[in-house]
Amino acid sequence: MRCNVRKTVMSLPMILLVLGAAASALAGSLDGTIKLGGIIKDETDGSDLSVMQETYNIYDGFSVSQIRLNSRLGSKHHLNLDLHESNLDSRRGRFAWRVLDLGELTARFDQFRQLYDRDGSTASKRENWRLGAKITPAEWLRLIGNYSLQTRTGDRLGEPEGTDSFLGSTYDYDLQTGYFEAEAHAGPRAFAVGYEMSRFKDNELAEAQRQGDIVSARINGPCYFLPNLSHFLRGAYGTQKLTEVDTQYKIGNFQYLGIYRPASAWQFKYRFFFNRTDNEVTRLKTDNIRNDFDLVWYNDLGSVFGGYGYVTNDDDRSLTENNVWRLGTNIGYKNWVRG
């Protein structure tokens, strides 16, 4: 641990030097805050360390409590670095780089310890990495992407105490998730396609390994024939499966939202949702369908709204129906009365 502290503290001047040189080269500015301190834990001997969640992730010793740096490079670039407890195992941080009229790049990291028994000797550690980007290469195009990696290692307790869990005696897994979307828009109309994925790998229990993939598309904008009517449509299709066993689900859904305003005082809203889950092992298909109708009347004192929803859930063996009624009002007078 002393080595880690020394390396972290020694790297601080290098961070300042690099950002300072970049700021000078691009005629920018650099400012920030550095906080140093120490942490002392005063715990009663014999106390149960696993019952106080607030103390799970607190470590004793010298602490680089915070390194916060802000840099403006030239007229378009802005950098932000915010690190907490960077020399301890409770470290977490955030980095952001924004370029005016182009986009931004972000990164986050944190780790957390979980204690399971009285003396804290049985514990696990979870680390989370998150990367994201938003780019607008043209006025009509926007690209969004993010990726996250969660790892967990350590010991696992069986239940009841003293027994071995069927999940194993240790944690050792990786969970990856990601999302990408491309959106093109022209005025109030937009069209987008997206892809979402997840990968779970358990090095202790192969049967738990799974993966999921979803592709989607959406379109929204005003109606070509009725200017007071707006449409939103989205469709998605994906699979979720256990990679080591013969289990796979296919999932598809479709959503529609229509909003019609024949006059400024009235708004009619219709929502439709359809979702199908297909279990390829049992050949059982489950359909969930929802229709919602809502009407709102606006006036000087607020609004009055009412609606009706009809929901069905069909799993090939039984059909469940639900009727939902909604009625309410919002009342307000200037800025000091609201009900």
Side-chain angles (χ1 to χ4, degrees):
M1 179 61 70
R2 286 195 297 271
C3 179
N4 291 338
V5 172
R6 185 178 302 113
K7 289 171 64 177
T8 303
V9 175
M10 289 297 291
S11 65
L12 177 58
M14 184 60 67
I15 295 174
L16 293 172
L17 179 62
V18 172
L19 290 182
S24 300
L26 297 177
S29 61
L30 173 67
D31 63 82
T33 302
I34 301 174
K35 296 181 180 180
L36 307 177
I39 299 175
I40 300 175
K41 293 175 64 176
D42 184 13
E43 296 176 325
T44 304
D45 291 340
S47 60
D48 189 345
L49 303 182
S50 65
V51 300
M52 290 294 293
Q53 297 186 18
E54 295 81 359
T55 66
Y56 287 175
N57 212 40
I58 297 178
Y59 296 84
D60 292 272
F62 169 72
S63 170
V64 183
S65 302
Q66 184 181 27
I67 301 174
R68 182 166 187 171
L69 302 174
N70 295 287
S71 179
R72 185 176 297 277
L73 310 177
S75 60
K76 291 188 175 183
H77 299 260
H78 184 268
L79 296 173
N80 175 262
L81 177 69
D82 191 8
L83 307 178
H84 294 263
E85 314 293 353
S86 55
N87 67 306
L88 300 177
D89 283 342
S90 55
R91 64 181 65 92
R92 63 190 187 278
R94 179 176 61 87
F95 171 79
W97 176 28
R98 298 178 180 87
V99 181
L100 185 65
D101 299 328
L102 179 59
E104 64 177 349
L105 176 67
T106 59
R108 292 176 178 268
F109 172 79
D110 66 82
Q111 59 185 48
F112 184 81
R113 176 179 60 173
Q114 176 84 41
L115 304 180
Y116 299 104
D117 55 3
R118 291 185 61 88
D119 60 3
S121 60
T122 304
S124 69
K125 182 177 70 174
R126 186 179 64 239
E127 295 184 354
N128 299 295
W129 294 87
R130 292 178 292 273
L131 301 174
K134 181 189 297 184
I135 304 175
T136 53
E139 292 185 358
W140 58 272
L141 179 63
R142 183 181 66 170
L143 305 175
I144 298 176
N146 60 68
Y147 170 79
S148 68
L149 170 63
Q150 180 187 110
T151 64
R152 189 172 186 179
T153 58
D155 302 319
R156 186 199 302 264
L157 278 184
E159 183 64 36
E161 187 175 355
T163 62
D164 293 331
S165 170
F166 76 95
L167 297 174
S169 59
T170 60
Y171 288 100
D172 187 5
Y173 70 70
D174 302 330
L175 174 61
Q176 302 179 70
T177 59
Y179 180 74
F180 172 78
E181 181 182 87
E183 180 188 75
H185 54 85
R189 296 180 172 85
F191 173 75
V193 292
Y195 168 70
E196 187 173 359
M197 72 86 177
S198 65
R199 301 289 186 271
F200 180 82
K201 180 181 179 181
D202 194 323
N203 296 314
E204 295 295 321
L205 187 64
E207 292 81 1
Q209 296 181 174
R210 59 186 182 270
Q211 70 178 52
D213 299 275
I214 298 175
V215 293
S216 62
R218 62 177 171 85
I219 185 171
N220 62 276
C223 180
Y224 282 99
F225 308 103
L226 295 175
N228 295 329
L229 176 62
S230 297
H231 302 285
F232 174 89
L233 299 95
R234 181 182 186 273
Y237 176 80
T239 60
Q240 182 73 247
K241 63 181 179 181
L242 297 173
T243 57
E244 299 298 322
V245 296
D246 187 21
T247 300
Q248 176 171 304
Y249 294 90
K250 291 183 179 179
I251 304 170
N253 69 57
F254 174 79
Q255 304 171 54
Y256 170 77
L257 171 64
I259 299 177
Y260 180 55
R261 300 202 69 162
S264 60
W266 294 93
Q267 175 181 278
F268 175 76
K269 183 186 298 183
Y270 169 66
R271 288 171 292 186
F272 173 78
F273 175 83
F274 171 81
N275 183 87
R276 166 168 288 187
T277 302
D278 182 1
N279 187 330
E280 291 197 335
V281 176
T282 63
R283 299 300 179 184
L284 184 65
K285 298 179 177 65
T286 301
D287 295 335
N288 180 265
I289 302 174
R290 183 177 187 116
N291 289 273
D292 282 302
F293 305 86
D294 288 280
L295 183 64
V296 185
W297 174 58
Y298 297 93
N299 57 75
D300 294 338
L301 295 179
S303 63
V304 178
F305 61 89
Y308 167 72
Y310 178 66
V311 184
T312 62
N313 192 75
D314 184 2
D315 62 4
D316 288 346
R317 296 177 180 174
S318 62
L319 175 65
T320 303
E321 299 176 312
N322 295 281
N323 294 277
V324 182
W325 297 90
R326 295 178 294 274
L327 182 65
T329 182
N330 294 309
I331 300 175
Y333 178 71
K334 295 185 176 179
N335 293 324
W336 57 277
V337 174
R338 184 172 298 276

